Amino acid sequence: MAIIFHEKTNTFHLTNKDVSYLIRIMENGQLENLYYGKALKDREDFSYMHEEGMRSQMSINVPEPGMLSMHYTRQEYPVYGTGDYRSPAFTVLQENGSRISNYVYASHSIFAGKKSLEPLPSTYVESDGEASTLEITLHDQITDTDLTLSYTLYENYPVITRNARFLQKGSEKIVLERALSASVEFIDMDYELVHLSGAWSRERYVKSRKLETGIQGIQGLNGTCCGAEFNPFLALKRPDTTEFQGEVYGFSFVYSGNFLAQAEVTTFDMTRILMGINPEGFAWELKQGESFQTPEVVMVYSDQGLNKMSQVYHRLYRTRLMRGKWRDQARPILLNNWEATYFDFNEEKILNIARKAKEVGVELFVLDDGWFGARNDDYRGLGDWYVNLDKLPDGISGLSRKVEELGLKFGLWVELEMVNKDSDLYRAHPDWLIGVPDRFESHARHQHVLDFSRKEVVDYIYEMISKVIRESSISYIKWDMNRYMTEPYSRGAAPSEQGMVMHRYMLGVYDLYTRLTTEFPDILFESCASGGARFDPGMLYFAPQTWSSDDTDANERTKIQYGTSMVYPIVSMGSHVSAVPNHQLHRTTSLATRANVAYFGTFGYELDLNLLTDNEIEQVKEQIRFMKEYRELIQVDGDFYRLLSPFAGNDTAWMVVSQDKQTAVAGYYQRLNWVNASWYRLKLKGLCEDTLYEVSYDTTPDTPINLELEAAYGIRANNNPRKTYQAYGTELMYAGIPIDRDMLKRKSMDFASLIFEIKKVNE
């Protein structure tokens, strides 16, 4: 097993070929975090890694003449109030009003495999040999409460997952006011904190800042999702760490609700990382025999830079977090009608768009918002999940079968957690809203949040939408969520239970997802939240792809998709070619560049193909042919490499390389054209050094050529737009591919791009 317990020194060593994690049972029975980092050779005694010494104003946690102080000790799961003056991982309120606790070692178990955390989402194994798990049970004698800390080490990944579980065995009631999932301590502060933040239409921008003394971190407090503002991920990297060299520690939270991700640096330069459910508004009551399970934190260590950390998350999340039929399959190329019609459609208009989609090679047609209730705008209808027969006289059942008769699969948009006050559902059940009686209920997008902490609400929505699905032929569901939670209060919960509402809400969402994915296992679910506000690992457990952003502008999408790739696999990114001028930015980019960005995701279209020119239709056909050829590589088989950051300059580049290193596809994107530009070469990654590759790319102008302008500037005609040459892997990685900026200027106005196809030459 990869987890060893050294009984003489009371030390646990979690180790594989990449990583080591050391835990020691201290003299006071609590747990010390001795080391986390690159793999160490195992030995009996690592106690020399414990530091202690007399300091002023130091509280001692062992009898004299001991020197053990919790404030200067790297702890596994710290608590406030007994000499540690930093932020705690947990707080337990007792009946006498005390928050002082003392959880000491009671027992441990080491076993092959990994336990499920259901109903919470979590990573998993398919055989016991893939991972080993350590469970350490601590006990507080006064309250008679068990606290079990769980650690799973994956055999072939530098991955350790963490969670905690409280079990109240005693007769008195306790209240968990804080119950985070993991705490990790580092002896120094020489790190930069990396996280993903933004807002609607600019989600998951990469942010980095140097750690300083004090508290720095991110959080989500919107109740219903992780949010567009901050993603439940952070990393610590050394200042000299780059994409491809140096140390980095990643922390990713498998949860979709309120979260806290925090780094705290002491005046002695020690750094504590905390991650878990946000304690704001959280209070979980436990009576005798009741337990509380925290969600999972996935920790990844890399000594080969940020890109290696990302590749580990990609492979783990794609194969051991996503589940079901679609986990290992490339995704269908779809067309969504939203930006083509918005609410203004009828059956014939929809079928007309679908016919054109079939003509160009699209495989799945998706009907977006506006098909149900009195939904002709966003003021009404949410919650009434029955078909608007004025628009669709044969219902979803009839439309879905007509679309299938065209040779396409059919998909449907829903927003199951929300309700408009102008709806039959609200008129029948006004108490089903999240909100405080006799206080104003804030609205957003003219809608309110249904109380999914109540089982009867989840049951009602499940019965309504499952009836639609059962009666129709549906292959895909886009599950949207267009507002955050306000006035978090449940009319169905007792006053003492209001601190449970937000977490119970997420359990209700997970329950509905579980029921629908269990009854309809062949449906491909895509999560969405006003764009990319619910892009988190918890959602990927149920829906293996997420709409990355409502912003479909190709230039902005390079930033969004680049940042998203820090944690999430390419196949999880919903990415479409939309109409121009772009509906969010009113910017025009070429059809070629829009596709060249969207290839690195699920790929699809969000426009009315009937409005394109004949030349553009031919381009679309070629784009779909290309994606069908390479989607297994891009979405399932390949490893993703970030080459040039859109946050660092005018250029963006990335690539995907097959596992056998015989095939690769690289994308290069230039934001603005250069005048009289200098030479530049794009250096690739991940190829086999001694392999001879053929490189090909298309330099055809994205827009019709202005012959008079070209003649005036003496630009030569491009008689051979397809460029092809051969080079060894060493050349492509260390010398690079020459980028002809004059060609790019001729190829496009601003926002030019190139796709490089790289294939092994059979010598």
Side-chain angles (χ1 to χ4, degrees):
M1 283 195 179
I3 300 176
I4 307 113
F5 178 58
H6 296 293
E7 190 170 356
K8 289 183 180 179
T9 57
N10 283 330
T11 304
F12 300 93
H13 188 187
L14 293 75
T15 187
N16 59 24
K17 63 183 178 60
D18 297 309
V19 65
S20 280
Y21 194 97
L22 290 168
I23 305 167
R24 183 177 77 99
I25 306 170
M26 295 185 289
E27 297 92 318
N28 65 354
Q30 296 180 29
L31 300 181
E32 180 179 19
N33 177 201
L34 279 180
Y35 173 82
Y36 176 32
K38 191 172 176 64
L40 305 176
K41 182 177 176 60
D42 186 53
R43 58 192 302 230
E44 177 74 30
D45 189 359
F46 290 97
S47 60
Y48 72 90
M49 293 185 182
H50 169 78
E51 289 94 1
E52 65 179 40
M54 178 57 70
R55 301 183 186 275
S56 62
Q57 299 178 327
M58 183 173 81
S59 300
I60 307 300
N61 294 97
V62 291
E64 296 190 77
M67 297 286 290
L68 185 63
S69 169
M70 293 298 96
H71 190 65
Y72 303 103
T73 299
R74 300 186 303 278
Q75 299 174 65
E76 274 301 305
Y77 202 66
V79 65
Y80 172 78
T82 58
D84 184 354
Y85 305 105
R86 296 167 287 174
S87 300
F90 71 104
T91 304
V92 179
L93 174 64
Q94 296 140 60
E95 286 187 350
N96 65 0
S98 169
R99 292 174 174 83
I100 305 303
S101 57
N102 184 33
Y103 286 83
V104 299
Y105 173 82
S107 64
H108 75 270
S109 64
I110 300 172
F111 54 89
K114 185 178 190 293
K115 293 180 180 178
S116 168
L117 298 185
E118 290 185 352
L120 288 168
S122 64
T123 57
Y124 59 89
V125 297
E126 292 189 338
S127 67
D128 285 347
E130 292 181 28
S132 302
T133 297
L134 165 66
E135 290 185 343
I136 304 176
T137 297
L138 310 174
H139 185 71
D140 183 89
Q141 185 176 1
I142 300 299
T143 60
D144 194 13
T145 308
D146 280 350
L147 163 59
T148 299
L149 303 180
S150 178
Y151 307 76
T152 293
L153 173 70
Y154 276 83
E155 180 69 24
N156 296 315
Y157 295 103
V159 170
I160 297 171
T161 69
R162 299 274 304 273
N163 68 79
R165 182 174 180 268
F166 291 84
L167 172 62
Q168 176 56 357
K169 300 162 70 175
S171 58
E172 81 166 77
K173 176 189 70 178
I174 62 172
V175 178
L176 302 179
E177 296 182 324
R178 173 185 286 241
L180 303 183
S181 296
S183 173
V184 181
E185 307 243 19
F186 298 89
I187 197 170
D188 67 294
M189 60 174 285
D190 189 25
Y191 293 99
E192 292 177 356
L193 186 149
V194 180
H195 64 91
L196 306 175
S197 67
W200 176 81
S201 280
R202 49 179 175 86
E203 298 90 343
R204 290 173 303 285
Y205 280 22
V206 180
K207 303 292 183 179
S208 180
R209 62 182 184 271
K210 189 179 186 305
L211 283 186
E212 296 291 350
T213 304
I215 292 174
Q216 44 255 285
I218 56 173
Q219 65 177 357
L221 278 172
N222 55 59
T224 53
C225 61
C226 63
E229 291 74 24
F230 297 103
N231 199 261
F233 160 82
L234 64 77
L236 292 187
K237 76 176 187 70
R238 294 298 186 182
D240 59 352
T241 294
T242 67
E243 284 286 356
F244 300 105
Q245 66 179 20
E247 277 196 321
V248 59
Y249 299 83
F251 302 87
S252 176
F253 194 34
V254 187
Y255 188 62
S256 310
N258 288 353
F259 75 93
L260 176 70
Q262 176 179 295
E264 182 172 1
V265 179
T266 73
T267 55
F268 286 89
D269 296 346
M270 297 167 61
T271 300
R272 172 178 289 174
I273 296 294
L274 294 170
M275 181 171 274
I277 293 175
N278 199 309
E280 179 67 32
F282 174 86
W284 199 274
E285 185 179 284
L286 291 179
K287 299 184 181 71
Q288 188 171 33
E290 294 179 338
S291 64
F292 180 79
Q293 173 66 57
T294 72
E296 179 174 79
V297 170
V298 178
M299 309 191 313
V300 170
Y301 170 76
S302 167
D303 62 350
Q304 300 173 52
L306 288 161
N307 204 91
K308 184 64 176 180
M309 176 200 72
S310 298
Q311 288 180 344
V312 172
Y313 275 122
H314 294 178
R315 188 64 56 175
L316 181 75
Y317 281 178
R318 195 191 67 73
T319 63
R320 292 298 179 266
L321 179 65
M322 297 178 182
R323 304 171 301 155
K325 171 182 175 179
W326 289 100
R327 187 191 74 176
D328 299 321
Q329 290 192 32
R331 305 298 157 77
I333 295 169
L334 65 82
L335 185 141
N336 184 297
N337 76 295
W338 178 241
E339 290 194 8
T341 67
Y342 293 101
F343 294 106
D344 183 20
F345 63 82
N346 56 31
E347 184 178 274
E348 184 51 38
K349 183 183 286 189
I350 292 299
L351 290 174
N352 192 38
I353 296 172
R355 291 185 191 100
K356 196 66 175 181
K358 173 60 180 175
E359 178 187 317
V360 299
V362 167
E363 299 160 314
L364 168 67
F365 176 83
V366 180
L367 178 63
D368 211 281
D369 196 357
W371 60 268
F372 52 91
R375 188 72 166 174
N376 294 314
D377 51 45
D378 55 12
Y379 287 85
R380 69 203 86 245
L382 276 177
D384 297 339
W385 299 108
Y386 49 83
V387 182
N388 184 331
L389 295 177
D390 291 334
K391 290 183 176 181
L392 305 173
D394 292 328
I396 293 299
S397 175
L399 177 63
S400 64
R401 287 176 173 83
K402 290 175 184 178
V403 169
E404 287 204 334
E405 288 170 3
L406 295 174
L408 296 165
K409 296 296 185 181
F410 181 79
L412 196 62
W413 177 97
V414 296
E415 190 174 4
L416 302 177
E417 300 156 69
M418 301 292 156
V419 65
N420 293 122
K421 286 194 172 181
D422 186 358
S423 68
D424 292 342
L425 173 58
Y426 176 76
R427 285 183 281 271
H429 301 284
D431 61 318
W432 282 8
L433 263 62
I434 290 283
V436 182
D438 303 321
R439 294 194 182 275
F440 181 76
E441 294 165 337
S442 301
H443 52 88
R445 201 173 179 257
H446 322 296
Q447 63 193 57
H448 297 262
V449 183
L450 285 171
D451 187 358
F452 268 36
S453 71
R454 300 173 65 172
K455 185 177 183 300
E456 65 269 29
V457 179
V458 177
D459 290 346
Y460 181 90
I461 297 298
Y462 169 71
E463 291 301 331
M464 288 195 77
I465 196 60
S466 61
K467 181 176 185 296
V468 174
I469 300 172
R470 289 187 204 108
E471 294 174 350
S472 308
S473 185
I474 295 174
S475 301
Y476 163 102
I477 287 179
K478 179 181 178 181
W479 183 330
D480 211 338
M481 194 285 302
N482 277 301
R483 68 155 292 181
Y484 297 158
M485 187 188 296
T486 55
E487 294 82 45
Y489 185 93
S490 172
R491 293 172 173 89
S496 63
E497 298 176 322
Q498 294 302 323
M500 302 177 170
V501 169
M502 285 188 170
H503 183 58
R504 281 180 172 172
Y505 178 95
M506 284 315 311
L507 294 179
V509 173
Y510 292 154
D511 177 45
L512 183 56
Y513 256 117
T514 298
R515 293 197 220 179
L516 292 174
T517 55
T518 300
E519 182 174 356
F520 308 106
D522 293 334
I523 290 179
L524 171 59
F525 281 81
E526 177 174 287
S527 66
C528 178
S530 193
R534 196 182 245 175
F535 211 128
D536 65 78
M539 281 293 111
L540 290 185
Y541 184 78
F542 301 99
Q545 61 191 56
T546 300
W547 183 227
S548 302
S549 176
D550 281 341
D551 189 345
T552 53
D553 173 73
N555 178 63
E556 289 301 309
R557 270 304 186 99
T558 61
K559 298 176 184 177
I560 294 166
Q561 291 173 213
Y562 187 98
T564 304
S565 75
M566 196 64 64
V567 192
Y568 303 102
I570 304 307
V571 71
S572 68
M573 299 184 203
S575 54
H576 296 172
V577 176
S578 62
V580 292
N582 177 265
H583 289 198
Q584 291 76 45
L585 286 173
H586 308 291
R587 175 186 287 147
T588 296
T589 54
S590 70
L591 183 58
T593 289
R594 281 174 273 158
N596 290 347
V597 175
Y599 289 145
F600 294 87
T602 59
F603 195 71
Y605 293 85
E606 192 136 348
L607 44 74
D608 187 347
L609 293 167
N610 292 292
L611 303 180
L612 301 188
T613 66
D614 291 344
N615 177 268
E616 288 172 328
I617 288 296
E618 292 306 310
Q619 287 187 62
V620 168
K621 290 179 180 178
E622 175 57 26
Q623 290 167 0
I624 291 174
R625 182 211 63 77
F626 173 90
M627 192 61 192
K628 288 179 178 178
E629 178 179 353
Y630 287 107
R631 61 181 164 185
E632 285 285 341
L633 165 68
I634 293 171
Q635 298 176 352
V636 179
D637 175 64
D639 289 321
F640 185 74
Y641 293 84
R642 292 182 297 269
L643 304 178
L644 296 172
S645 170
F647 302 102
N650 192 56
D651 307 279
T652 303
W654 51 48
M655 66 184 296
V656 178
V657 183
S658 64
Q659 293 288 295
D660 61 12
K661 299 185 182 298
Q662 294 191 17
T663 308
V665 175
Y668 169 81
Y669 314 91
Q670 178 181 271
R671 183 173 299 123
L672 301 179
N673 271 324
W674 291 83
V675 175
N676 196 21
S678 56
W679 309 120
Y680 180 74
R681 289 182 180 179
L682 175 64
K683 296 179 181 179
L684 306 184
K685 293 287 184 180
L687 302 175
C688 181
E689 291 189 346
D690 298 329
T691 295
L692 182 65
Y693 295 94
E694 180 178 272
V695 180
S696 63
Y697 58 101
D698 187 12
T699 66
T700 302
D702 296 345
T703 55
I705 301 171
N706 186 329
L707 297 176
E708 292 182 2
L709 185 63
E710 294 209 351
Y713 282 89
I715 300 175
R716 291 175 295 176
N718 189 354
N719 296 319
N720 184 20
R722 189 77 188 177
K723 302 295 184 183
T724 302
Y725 69 95
Q726 294 184 354
Y728 283 96
T730 49
E731 300 169 62
L732 297 173
M733 292 190 291
Y734 309 135
I737 298 175
I739 301 295
D740 184 345
R741 295 198 188 275
D742 285 336
M743 175 272 293
L744 285 176
K745 185 164 57 177
R746 182 179 183 278
K747 186 178 190 300
S748 175
M749 294 178 283
D750 294 325
F751 315 113
S753 62
L754 294 170
I755 293 293
F756 298 97
E757 301 174 54
I758 303 147
K759 297 180 180 180
K760 177 184 176 181
V761 175
N762 294 317
E763 299 178 86

